[in-house]
PDB file of all heavy atoms in Angstrom:
ATOM      1  N   MET A   1     -16.920  56.058 -16.880  1.00  0.00           N
ATOM      2  CA  MET A   1     -15.773  56.920 -16.571  1.00  0.00           C
ATOM      3  C   MET A   1     -15.767  57.212 -15.030  1.00  0.00           C
ATOM      4  O   MET A   1     -14.700  57.124 -14.376  1.00  0.00           O
ATOM      5  CB  MET A   1     -15.915  58.229 -17.314  1.00  0.00           C
ATOM      6  CG  MET A   1     -14.865  59.291 -16.932  1.00  0.00           C
ATOM      7  SD  MET A   1     -13.161  58.736 -17.132  1.00  0.00           S
ATOM      8  CE  MET A   1     -13.021  58.843 -18.932  1.00  0.00           C
ATOM      9  N   LEU A   2     -16.888  57.520 -14.430  1.00  0.00           N
ATOM     10  CA  LEU A   2     -16.962  57.766 -13.014  1.00  0.00           C
ATOM     11  C   LEU A   2     -16.491  56.528 -12.201  1.00  0.00           C
ATOM     12  O   LEU A   2     -15.729  56.653 -11.255  1.00  0.00           O
ATOM     13  CB  LEU A   2     -18.414  58.145 -12.672  1.00  0.00           C
ATOM     14  CG  LEU A   2     -18.684  58.494 -11.224  1.00  0.00           C
ATOM     15  CD1 LEU A   2     -17.841  59.631 -10.732  1.00  0.00           C
ATOM     16  CD2 LEU A   2     -20.158  58.782 -11.011  1.00  0.00           C
ATOM     17  N   ALA A   3     -16.976  55.381 -12.562  1.00  0.00           N
ATOM     18  CA  ALA A   3     -16.593  54.186 -11.873  1.00  0.00           C
ATOM     19  C   ALA A   3     -15.102  53.902 -12.006  1.00  0.00           C
ATOM     20  O   ALA A   3     -14.468  53.406 -11.066  1.00  0.00           O
ATOM     21  CB  ALA A   3     -17.399  52.955 -12.436  1.00  0.00           C
ATOM     22  N   GLU A   4     -14.519  54.226 -13.147  1.00  0.00           N
ATOM     23  CA  GLU A   4     -13.094  54.011 -13.324  1.00  0.00           C
ATOM     24  C   GLU A   4     -12.321  54.933 -12.410  1.00  0.00           C
ATOM     25  O   GLU A   4     -11.230  54.570 -11.877  1.00  0.00           O
ATOM     26  CB  GLU A   4     -12.680  54.260 -14.765  1.00  0.00           C
ATOM     27  CG  GLU A   4     -13.209  53.294 -15.772  1.00  0.00           C
ATOM     28  CD  GLU A   4     -12.744  51.844 -15.537  1.00  0.00           C
ATOM     29  OE1 GLU A   4     -11.814  51.665 -14.703  1.00  0.00           O
ATOM     30  OE2 GLU A   4     -13.369  50.952 -16.139  1.00  0.00           O
ATOM     31  N   ARG A   5     -12.760  56.155 -12.220  1.00  0.00           N
ATOM     32  CA  ARG A   5     -12.087  57.067 -11.294  1.00  0.00           C
ATOM     33  C   ARG A   5     -12.184  56.623  -9.889  1.00  0.00           C
ATOM     34  O   ARG A   5     -11.252  56.987  -9.090  1.00  0.00           O
ATOM     35  CB  ARG A   5     -12.720  58.485 -11.506  1.00  0.00           C
ATOM     36  CG  ARG A   5     -12.459  59.063 -12.874  1.00  0.00           C
ATOM     37  CD  ARG A   5     -13.211  60.356 -13.070  1.00  0.00           C
ATOM     38  NE  ARG A   5     -12.816  61.453 -12.217  1.00  0.00           N
ATOM     39  CZ  ARG A   5     -13.334  62.637 -12.229  1.00  0.00           C
ATOM     40  NH1 ARG A   5     -14.406  62.907 -13.012  1.00  0.00           N
ATOM     41  NH2 ARG A   5     -12.914  63.572 -11.421  1.00  0.00           N
ATOM     42  N   ILE A   6     -13.201  55.904  -9.536  1.00  0.00           N
ATOM     43  CA  ILE A   6     -13.383  55.434  -8.201  1.00  0.00           C
ATOM     44  C   ILE A   6     -12.700  54.089  -7.910  1.00  0.00           C
ATOM     45  O   ILE A   6     -12.279  53.770  -6.774  1.00  0.00           O
ATOM     46  CB  ILE A   6     -14.898  55.359  -7.800  1.00  0.00           C
ATOM     47  CG1 ILE A   6     -15.445  56.782  -7.781  1.00  0.00           C
ATOM     48  CG2 ILE A   6     -15.170  54.695  -6.513  1.00  0.00           C
ATOM     49  CD1 ILE A   6     -16.984  56.812  -7.617  1.00  0.00           C
ATOM     50  N   HIS A   7     -12.522  53.272  -8.929  1.00  0.00           N
ATOM     51  CA  HIS A   7     -12.020  51.964  -8.771  1.00  0.00           C
ATOM     52  C   HIS A   7     -10.650  51.896  -8.059  1.00  0.00           C
ATOM     53  O   HIS A   7      -9.753  52.748  -8.396  1.00  0.00           O
ATOM     54  CB  HIS A   7     -11.862  51.238 -10.146  1.00  0.00           C
ATOM     55  CG  HIS A   7     -11.759  49.811 -10.113  1.00  0.00           C
ATOM     56  ND1 HIS A   7     -10.666  49.070  -9.675  1.00  0.00           N
ATOM     57  CD2 HIS A   7     -12.699  48.797 -10.401  1.00  0.00           C
ATOM     58  CE1 HIS A   7     -10.889  47.826  -9.730  1.00  0.00           C
ATOM     59  NE2 HIS A   7     -12.077  47.613 -10.163  1.00  0.00           N
ATOM     60  N   PRO A   8     -10.447  51.068  -7.070  1.00  0.00           N
ATOM     61  CA  PRO A   8      -9.189  51.033  -6.336  1.00  0.00           C
ATOM     62  C   PRO A   8      -7.958  50.627  -7.227  1.00  0.00           C
ATOM     63  O   PRO A   8      -6.839  51.105  -6.921  1.00  0.00           O
ATOM     64  CB  PRO A   8      -9.422  49.956  -5.264  1.00  0.00           C
ATOM     65  CG  PRO A   8     -10.519  49.120  -5.771  1.00  0.00           C
ATOM     66  CD  PRO A   8     -11.407  50.026  -6.585  1.00  0.00           C
ATOM     67  N   ARG A   9      -8.124  49.867  -8.237  1.00  0.00           N
ATOM     68  CA  ARG A   9      -6.998  49.582  -9.122  1.00  0.00           C
ATOM     69  C   ARG A   9      -7.126  50.409 -10.370  1.00  0.00           C
ATOM     70  O   ARG A   9      -8.222  50.629 -10.938  1.00  0.00           O
ATOM     71  CB  ARG A   9      -7.024  48.100  -9.561  1.00  0.00           C
ATOM     72  CG  ARG A   9      -6.670  47.069  -8.484  1.00  0.00           C
ATOM     73  CD  ARG A   9      -6.698  45.707  -8.986  1.00  0.00           C
ATOM     74  NE  ARG A   9      -5.685  45.506  -9.986  1.00  0.00           N
ATOM     75  CZ  ARG A   9      -5.822  44.596 -11.053  1.00  0.00           C
ATOM     76  NH1 ARG A   9      -6.936  43.936 -11.218  1.00  0.00           N
ATOM     77  NH2 ARG A   9      -4.848  44.516 -11.935  1.00  0.00           N
ATOM     78  N   SER A  10      -6.028  50.969 -10.835  1.00  0.00           N
ATOM     79  CA  SER A  10      -6.075  51.876 -12.033  1.00  0.00           C
ATOM     80  C   SER A  10      -6.482  51.124 -13.276  1.00  0.00           C
ATOM     81  O   SER A  10      -6.265  49.889 -13.376  1.00  0.00           O
ATOM     82  CB  SER A  10      -4.750  52.540 -12.224  1.00  0.00           C
ATOM     83  OG  SER A  10      -3.819  51.623 -12.751  1.00  0.00           O
ATOM     84  N   LEU A  11      -7.162  51.819 -14.193  1.00  0.00           N
ATOM     85  CA  LEU A  11      -7.491  51.202 -15.483  1.00  0.00           C
ATOM     86  C   LEU A  11      -6.306  50.740 -16.205  1.00  0.00           C
ATOM     87  O   LEU A  11      -6.303  49.758 -16.945  1.00  0.00           O
ATOM     88  CB  LEU A  11      -8.276  52.204 -16.289  1.00  0.00           C
ATOM     89  CG  LEU A  11      -8.777  51.740 -17.685  1.00  0.00           C
ATOM     90  CD1 LEU A  11      -9.563  50.536 -17.581  1.00  0.00           C
ATOM     91  CD2 LEU A  11      -9.522  52.857 -18.400  1.00  0.00           C
ATOM     92  N   THR A  12      -5.129  51.467 -16.039  1.00  0.00           N
ATOM     93  CA  THR A  12      -3.926  51.013 -16.696  1.00  0.00           C
ATOM     94  C   THR A  12      -3.521  49.625 -16.253  1.00  0.00           C
ATOM     95  O   THR A  12      -3.190  48.759 -17.127  1.00  0.00           O
ATOM     96  CB  THR A  12      -2.775  52.023 -16.370  1.00  0.00           C
ATOM     97  OG1 THR A  12      -3.113  53.309 -16.794  1.00  0.00           O
ATOM     98  CG2 THR A  12      -1.414  51.551 -16.998  1.00  0.00           C
ATOM     99  N   GLU A  13      -3.549  49.368 -14.999  1.00  0.00           N
ATOM    100  CA  GLU A  13      -3.188  47.990 -14.480  1.00  0.00           C
ATOM    101  C   GLU A  13      -4.131  46.922 -15.086  1.00  0.00           C
ATOM    102  O   GLU A  13      -3.759  45.888 -15.561  1.00  0.00           O
ATOM    103  CB  GLU A  13      -3.301  47.943 -12.959  1.00  0.00           C
ATOM    104  CG  GLU A  13      -2.270  48.720 -12.220  1.00  0.00           C
ATOM    105  CD  GLU A  13      -2.508  48.632 -10.734  1.00  0.00           C
ATOM    106  OE1 GLU A  13      -2.098  47.614 -10.149  1.00  0.00           O
ATOM    107  OE2 GLU A  13      -3.132  49.590 -10.142  1.00  0.00           O
ATOM    108  N   ARG A  14      -5.442  47.246 -15.014  1.00  0.00           N
ATOM    109  CA  ARG A  14      -6.433  46.224 -15.468  1.00  0.00           C
ATOM    110  C   ARG A  14      -6.398  46.056 -16.963  1.00  0.00           C
ATOM    111  O   ARG A  14      -6.630  44.952 -17.496  1.00  0.00           O
ATOM    112  CB  ARG A  14      -7.830  46.648 -14.988  1.00  0.00           C
ATOM    113  CG  ARG A  14      -8.037  46.486 -13.485  1.00  0.00           C
ATOM    114  CD  ARG A  14      -9.363  46.937 -12.965  1.00  0.00           C
ATOM    115  NE  ARG A  14      -9.441  48.407 -12.954  1.00  0.00           N
ATOM    116  CZ  ARG A  14     -10.386  49.125 -13.574  1.00  0.00           C
ATOM    117  NH1 ARG A  14     -11.267  48.532 -14.302  1.00  0.00           N
ATOM    118  NH2 ARG A  14     -10.342  50.395 -13.465  1.00  0.00           N
ATOM    119  N   HIS A  15      -6.098  47.174 -17.717  1.00  0.00           N
ATOM    120  CA  HIS A  15      -6.059  47.066 -19.150  1.00  0.00           C
ATOM    121  C   HIS A  15      -4.840  46.163 -19.592  1.00  0.00           C
ATOM    122  O   HIS A  15      -4.993  45.381 -20.491  1.00  0.00           O
ATOM    123  CB  HIS A  15      -5.824  48.460 -19.801  1.00  0.00           C
ATOM    124  CG  HIS A  15      -5.580  48.407 -21.252  1.00  0.00           C
ATOM    125  ND1 HIS A  15      -6.647  48.080 -22.161  1.00  0.00           N
ATOM    126  CD2 HIS A  15      -4.488  48.615 -21.987  1.00  0.00           C
ATOM    127  CE1 HIS A  15      -6.090  48.131 -23.376  1.00  0.00           C
ATOM    128  NE2 HIS A  15      -4.824  48.378 -23.332  1.00  0.00           N
ATOM    129  N   GLU A  16      -3.711  46.268 -18.872  1.00  0.00           N
ATOM    130  CA  GLU A  16      -2.531  45.412 -19.212  1.00  0.00           C
ATOM    131  C   GLU A  16      -2.930  43.966 -19.083  1.00  0.00           C
ATOM    132  O   GLU A  16      -2.520  43.146 -19.902  1.00  0.00           O
ATOM    133  CB  GLU A  16      -1.397  45.791 -18.292  1.00  0.00           C
ATOM    134  CG  GLU A  16      -0.739  47.118 -18.589  1.00  0.00           C
ATOM    135  CD  GLU A  16       0.382  47.427 -17.618  1.00  0.00           C
ATOM    136  OE1 GLU A  16       0.585  46.602 -16.703  1.00  0.00           O
ATOM    137  OE2 GLU A  16       0.969  48.480 -17.745  1.00  0.00           O
ATOM    138  N   ALA A  17      -3.630  43.628 -18.038  1.00  0.00           N
ATOM    139  CA  ALA A  17      -4.062  42.203 -17.859  1.00  0.00           C
ATOM    140  C   ALA A  17      -5.025  41.769 -18.933  1.00  0.00           C
ATOM    141  O   ALA A  17      -4.976  40.722 -19.521  1.00  0.00           O
ATOM    142  CB  ALA A  17      -4.601  42.011 -16.476  1.00  0.00           C
ATOM    143  N   ALA A  18      -6.046  42.704 -19.217  1.00  0.00           N
ATOM    144  CA  ALA A  18      -7.059  42.359 -20.166  1.00  0.00           C
ATOM    145  C   ALA A  18      -6.494  42.267 -21.616  1.00  0.00           C
ATOM    146  O   ALA A  18      -6.941  41.402 -22.405  1.00  0.00           O
ATOM    147  CB  ALA A  18      -8.204  43.377 -20.156  1.00  0.00           C
ATOM    148  N   ALA A  19      -5.540  43.078 -21.918  1.00  0.00           N
ATOM    149  CA  ALA A  19      -4.933  43.052 -23.242  1.00  0.00           C
ATOM    150  C   ALA A  19      -4.260  41.769 -23.569  1.00  0.00           C
ATOM    151  O   ALA A  19      -4.105  41.342 -24.724  1.00  0.00           O
ATOM    152  CB  ALA A  19      -3.931  44.243 -23.421  1.00  0.00           C
ATOM    153  N   GLY A  20      -3.848  41.080 -22.498  1.00  0.00           N
ATOM    154  CA  GLY A  20      -3.236  39.757 -22.710  1.00  0.00           C
ATOM    155  C   GLY A  20      -4.226  38.727 -23.249  1.00  0.00           C
ATOM    156  O   GLY A  20      -3.805  37.649 -23.669  1.00  0.00           O
ATOM    157  N   GLU A  21      -5.529  39.036 -23.129  1.00  0.00           N
ATOM    158  CA  GLU A  21      -6.555  38.117 -23.607  1.00  0.00           C
ATOM    159  C   GLU A  21      -7.014  38.470 -25.035  1.00  0.00           C
ATOM    160  O   GLU A  21      -8.023  37.847 -25.496  1.00  0.00           O
ATOM    161  CB  GLU A  21      -7.781  38.197 -22.626  1.00  0.00           C
ATOM    162  CG  GLU A  21      -7.452  37.890 -21.187  1.00  0.00           C
ATOM    163  CD  GLU A  21      -6.941  36.478 -21.056  1.00  0.00           C
ATOM    164  OE1 GLU A  21      -7.447  35.531 -21.735  1.00  0.00           O
ATOM    165  OE2 GLU A  21      -6.070  36.241 -20.255  1.00  0.00           O
ATOM    166  N   ARG A  22      -6.370  39.396 -25.695  1.00  0.00           N
ATOM    167  CA  ARG A  22      -6.693  39.714 -27.075  1.00  0.00           C
ATOM    168  C   ARG A  22      -6.665  38.506 -27.978  1.00  0.00           C
ATOM    169  O   ARG A  22      -5.777  37.657 -27.798  1.00  0.00           O
ATOM    170  CB  ARG A  22      -5.918  40.858 -27.642  1.00  0.00           C
ATOM    171  CG  ARG A  22      -4.405  40.598 -27.764  1.00  0.00           C
ATOM    172  CD  ARG A  22      -3.666  41.881 -28.044  1.00  0.00           C
ATOM    173  NE  ARG A  22      -2.242  41.669 -28.222  1.00  0.00           N
ATOM    174  CZ  ARG A  22      -1.342  41.553 -27.230  1.00  0.00           C
ATOM    175  NH1 ARG A  22      -1.786  41.632 -25.944  1.00  0.00           N
ATOM    176  NH2 ARG A  22      -0.087  41.310 -27.437  1.00  0.00           N
ATOM    177  N   ALA A  23      -7.588  38.352 -28.894  1.00  0.00           N
ATOM    178  CA  ALA A  23      -7.691  37.168 -29.691  1.00  0.00           C
ATOM    179  C   ALA A  23      -8.542  37.394 -30.925  1.00  0.00           C
ATOM    180  O   ALA A  23      -9.285  38.417 -31.010  1.00  0.00           O
ATOM    181  CB  ALA A  23      -8.272  36.035 -28.884  1.00  0.00           C
ATOM    182  N   VAL A  24      -8.485  36.494 -31.849  1.00  0.00           N
ATOM    183  CA  VAL A  24      -9.341  36.426 -33.013  1.00  0.00           C
ATOM    184  C   VAL A  24      -9.950  35.031 -33.073  1.00  0.00           C
ATOM    185  O   VAL A  24      -9.222  34.036 -32.904  1.00  0.00           O
ATOM    186  CB  VAL A  24      -8.579  36.793 -34.327  1.00  0.00           C
ATOM    187  CG1 VAL A  24      -9.490  36.580 -35.529  1.00  0.00           C
ATOM    188  CG2 VAL A  24      -7.973  38.120 -34.341  1.00  0.00           C
ATOM    189  N   ARG A  25     -11.290  34.977 -33.278  1.00  0.00           N
ATOM    190  CA  ARG A  25     -11.865  33.645 -33.321  1.00  0.00           C
ATOM    191  C   ARG A  25     -12.966  33.673 -34.408  1.00  0.00           C
ATOM    192  O   ARG A  25     -13.503  34.759 -34.734  1.00  0.00           O
ATOM    193  CB  ARG A  25     -12.424  33.204 -31.975  1.00  0.00           C
ATOM    194  CG  ARG A  25     -13.412  34.237 -31.316  1.00  0.00           C
ATOM    195  CD  ARG A  25     -13.536  33.980 -29.851  1.00  0.00           C
ATOM    196  NE  ARG A  25     -14.446  34.925 -29.166  1.00  0.00           N
ATOM    197  CZ  ARG A  25     -14.045  36.120 -28.804  1.00  0.00           C
ATOM    198  NH1 ARG A  25     -12.805  36.520 -28.948  1.00  0.00           N
ATOM    199  NH2 ARG A  25     -14.906  36.917 -28.202  1.00  0.00           N
ATOM    200  N   VAL A  26     -13.396  32.527 -34.868  1.00  0.00           N
ATOM    201  CA  VAL A  26     -14.414  32.443 -35.885  1.00  0.00           C
ATOM    202  C   VAL A  26     -15.534  31.551 -35.319  1.00  0.00           C
ATOM    203  O   VAL A  26     -15.272  30.496 -34.706  1.00  0.00           O
ATOM    204  CB  VAL A  26     -13.815  31.699 -37.125  1.00  0.00           C
ATOM    205  CG1 VAL A  26     -14.931  31.423 -38.134  1.00  0.00           C
ATOM    206  CG2 VAL A  26     -12.713  32.551 -37.759  1.00  0.00           C
ATOM    207  N   VAL A  27     -16.729  32.022 -35.468  1.00  0.00           N
ATOM    208  CA  VAL A  27     -17.945  31.339 -35.065  1.00  0.00           C
ATOM    209  C   VAL A  27     -18.802  31.035 -36.270  1.00  0.00           C
ATOM    210  O   VAL A  27     -19.237  31.942 -36.985  1.00  0.00           O
ATOM    211  CB  VAL A  27     -18.784  32.184 -34.049  1.00  0.00           C
ATOM    212  CG1 VAL A  27     -20.004  31.425 -33.642  1.00  0.00           C
ATOM    213  CG2 VAL A  27     -17.889  32.536 -32.796  1.00  0.00           C
ATOM    214  N   ASP A  28     -18.950  29.722 -36.584  1.00  0.00           N
ATOM    215  CA  ASP A  28     -19.758  29.357 -37.727  1.00  0.00           C
ATOM    216  C   ASP A  28     -21.228  29.687 -37.575  1.00  0.00           C
ATOM    217  O   ASP A  28     -21.810  29.514 -36.443  1.00  0.00           O
ATOM    218  CB  ASP A  28     -19.556  27.902 -38.044  1.00  0.00           C
ATOM    219  CG  ASP A  28     -18.154  27.553 -38.527  1.00  0.00           C
ATOM    220  OD1 ASP A  28     -17.498  28.437 -39.178  1.00  0.00           O
ATOM    221  OD2 ASP A  28     -17.682  26.414 -38.220  1.00  0.00           O
TER     222      ASP A  28
END
């Protein structure tokens, strides 16, 4: 939480980009 408050880019911006990588996969 502390690092997020200090990070120059907001968590909202980074979350939008990361959410684009959501996926489901199967590992045998």
Side-chain angles (χ1 to χ4, degrees):
M1 173 60 74
L2 180 61
E4 293 300 346
R5 293 170 68 182
I6 291 174
H7 199 286
R9 288 182 65 211
S10 73
L11 179 57
T12 300
E13 292 179 79
R14 288 177 286 125
H15 174 72
E16 287 177 359
E21 302 299 320
R22 61 191 183 279
V24 176
R25 55 197 179 278
V26 175
V27 178
D28 291 330

